[in-house]
């Protein structure tokens, strides 16, 4: 399967390294066929460095190549909607980085088009595909911490001076870049039957969100407390509190271990479970795409279209409460 990468920034580089690593380990992997950028020089340099067969100085040129089968969209959030539409209209399967689009309406449109054309379209929010998700589910299902009642999750980096974070025209701010991860953690653990969302945010002078606190209240009384910020550093932890103990994931955006404690008076006796070693962590979403395409599916079971849309509906509601809007909407 020939894969093209749309965009040649840092994340695109990680994906290319992932595919090369998968091939080196004898895993089923797509062929790094084409790298596309709006700059021919950047595309050529990226292709040479990462072992792509071809380089294109425009996205349209790449999409007109009939040998391209799967496109990984690694452009800014604000471009995803149009980029994905273009890929689908050219008959390409698509793996699109998070945030999938800037709002739920855009997501509904592109997901509908993928289903109409019988093409795979899935969101590359890697934590949905990683083995740690099943590990957490299994621990909770086994009743080790009792019935879960509450969770906390945060993701904070001091990245407020980064241009794409500050600019509303690039769909900047903390939520789409970072907040999506703790929200996803809550969704993976507690599901989506949310009764009420309460929130408060501090905005930048550009009008995008600098930092926010979010509380999800579920219909059965469970609660999730979430924080995201581009104004400080956080510990990235996700913690699920149950009737008999608690479960801690060391990083909601790429866990390396899960800790299970059933006696808060003796945390040193907690059970620590290491997450399987990874190439980069992106390999799981790639493998899921391959399986889905081979099976003729239009979505991956780990991140179906309904979940992508639901997450964006939450984020739409949050931004509406804060008064944050993007010019590209």
């Amino acid at each position: 399967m020939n894969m093209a990468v749309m965009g040649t920034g840092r994340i695109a580089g990680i994906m290319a390294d992932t595919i090369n690593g998968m091939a080196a380990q004898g895993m089923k992997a797509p062929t790094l066929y084409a790298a596309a950028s709006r700059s021919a020089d950047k595309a050529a340099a990226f292709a040479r460095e990462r072992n792509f067969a071809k380089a294109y100085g425009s996205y349209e040129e790449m999409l007109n190549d009939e040998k391209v089968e799967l496109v990984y969209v690694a452009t800014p959030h604000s471009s995803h909607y149009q980029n994905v539409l273009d890929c689908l209209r050219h008959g390409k399967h698509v793996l699109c980085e998070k945030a999938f689009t800037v709002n739920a309406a855009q997501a509904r449109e592109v997901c509908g088009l993928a289903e109409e054309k019988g093409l795979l379209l899935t969101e590359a929010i890697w934590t949905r595909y990683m083995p740690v998700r099943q590990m957490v589910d299994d621990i909770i299902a086994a009743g080790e911490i009792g019935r879960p009642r509450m969770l906390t999750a945060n993701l904070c980096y001091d990245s407020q001076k980064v241009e794409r974070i500050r600019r509303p025209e690039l769909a900047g701010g903390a939520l789409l870049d970072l907040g999506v991860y703790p929200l996803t953690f809550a969704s993976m653990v507690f599901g989506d039957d949310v009764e009420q969302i309460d929130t408060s945010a501090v905005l930048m002078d550009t009008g995008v969100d600098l930092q926010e606190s979010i509380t999800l209240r579920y219909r059965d009384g469970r609660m999730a407390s979430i924080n995201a910020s581009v104004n400080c550093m956080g510990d990235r932890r996700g913690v699920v509190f149950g009737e008999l103990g608690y479960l801690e994931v060391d990083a909601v955006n790429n866990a390396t271990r899960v800790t299970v404690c059933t006696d808060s008076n003796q945390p040193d006796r907690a059970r620590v479970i290491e997450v399987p070693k990874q190439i980069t962590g992106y390999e799981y979403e790639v493998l899921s795409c391959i399986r889905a395409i081979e099976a003729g599916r239009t979505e991956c079971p780990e991140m179906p279209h309904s979940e992508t849309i639901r997450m964006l509906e939450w984020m739409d509601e949050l931004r509406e409460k804060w008064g944050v809007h993007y010019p590209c909407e």
Side-chain angles (χ1 to χ4, degrees):
M1 182 182 302
N2 287 336
M3 184 177 191
V5 172
M6 183 179 281
T8 53
R10 183 183 66 86
I11 293 176
I14 295 172
M15 178 56 78
D17 291 344
T18 303
I19 304 302
N20 285 320
M22 292 170 71
Q25 292 188 19
M27 299 171 66
K28 191 169 189 176
T31 299
L32 287 180
Y33 178 72
S37 171
R38 289 172 297 182
S39 162
D41 290 342
K42 284 184 179 179
F46 187 87
R48 282 195 303 272
E49 182 181 350
R50 310 287 183 173
N51 300 318
F52 283 83
K54 290 187 173 251
Y56 287 106
S58 79
Y59 302 150
E60 185 69 19
E61 272 188 286
M62 179 270 288
L63 292 174
N64 284 327
D65 187 332
E66 294 182 356
K67 292 184 178 180
V68 172
E69 298 168 271
L70 170 64
V71 178
Y72 172 60
V73 175
T75 55
H77 311 317
S78 53
S79 301
H80 288 179
Y81 167 69
Q82 188 61 54
N83 293 157
V84 171
L85 278 180
D86 290 342
C87 290
L88 294 172
R89 287 167 178 165
H90 282 79
K92 315 301 185 186
H93 302 291
V94 184
L95 172 63
C96 180
E97 257 307 326
K98 62 84 194 163
F100 185 72
T101 53
V102 300
N103 59 40
Q106 291 182 349
R108 290 188 198 97
E109 182 179 348
V110 295
C111 289
L113 182 60
E115 290 163 7
E116 177 187 318
K117 289 182 167 291
L119 294 166
L120 175 77
L121 171 61
T122 195
E123 183 176 4
I125 177 131
W126 58 340
T127 54
R128 291 272 185 174
Y129 304 84
M130 290 176 172
V132 69
R133 178 181 183 180
Q134 189 61 51
M135 292 166 62
V136 169
D137 287 348
D138 291 345
I139 292 165
I140 292 173
E144 290 191 52
I145 64 169
R147 186 176 178 183
R149 296 294 193 184
M150 182 174 285
L151 71 75
T152 62
N154 77 86
L155 190 59
C156 309
Y157 292 103
D158 188 7
S159 54
Q160 60 182 305
K161 294 181 181 178
V162 176
E163 183 181 15
R164 68 176 179 83
I165 297 294
R166 291 189 54 78
R167 291 173 57 182
E169 63 270 29
L170 296 179
L175 182 64
L176 266 61
D177 197 60
L178 302 179
V180 64
Y181 282 111
L183 282 170
T184 294
F185 181 75
S187 176
M188 288 191 294
V189 177
F190 279 180
D192 299 323
D193 193 17
V194 172
E195 181 179 53
Q196 182 174 321
I197 300 178
D198 295 309
T199 186
S200 181
V202 176
L203 306 186
M204 297 186 198
D205 56 3
T206 59
V208 298
D209 51 307
L210 179 70
Q211 57 187 14
E212 56 254 9
S213 177
I214 303 162
T215 301
L216 307 177
R217 190 176 77 193
Y218 288 75
R219 294 186 193 281
D220 61 3
R222 292 173 301 166
M223 297 183 74
S225 178
I226 290 162
N227 292 289
S229 177
V230 292
N231 193 34
C232 60
M233 298 300 292
D235 59 19
R236 303 189 297 157
R237 289 189 302 170
V239 185
V240 184
F241 303 96
E243 296 167 321
L244 303 177
Y246 64 87
L247 173 158
E248 177 186 303
V249 171
D250 70 329
V252 295
N253 61 333
N254 189 11
T256 63
R257 65 182 179 275
V258 180
T259 302
V260 182
C261 182
T262 54
D263 186 348
S264 58
N265 292 318
Q266 294 182 310
D268 56 320
R269 299 181 64 180
R271 183 163 69 97
V272 178
I273 310 159
E274 300 296 325
V275 171
K277 290 188 181 299
Q278 56 186 222
I279 298 171
T280 64
Y282 287 20
E283 61 267 31
Y284 302 109
E285 63 197 46
V286 174
L287 290 170
S288 181
C289 283
I290 293 171
R291 291 191 296 267
I293 291 169
E294 289 179 345
R297 298 192 186 111
T298 59
E299 58 187 0
C300 290
E302 296 90 342
M303 191 56 174
H305 296 163
S306 59
E307 282 299 306
T308 288
I309 292 167
R310 180 71 62 87
M311 190 61 52
L312 282 160
E313 287 173 341
W314 285 2
M315 293 194 288
D316 286 353
E317 181 175 343
L318 289 164
R319 290 194 296 111
E320 188 62 34
K321 289 176 184 288
W322 305 333
V324 173
H325 303 98
Y326 307 126
C328 57
E329 295 187 274

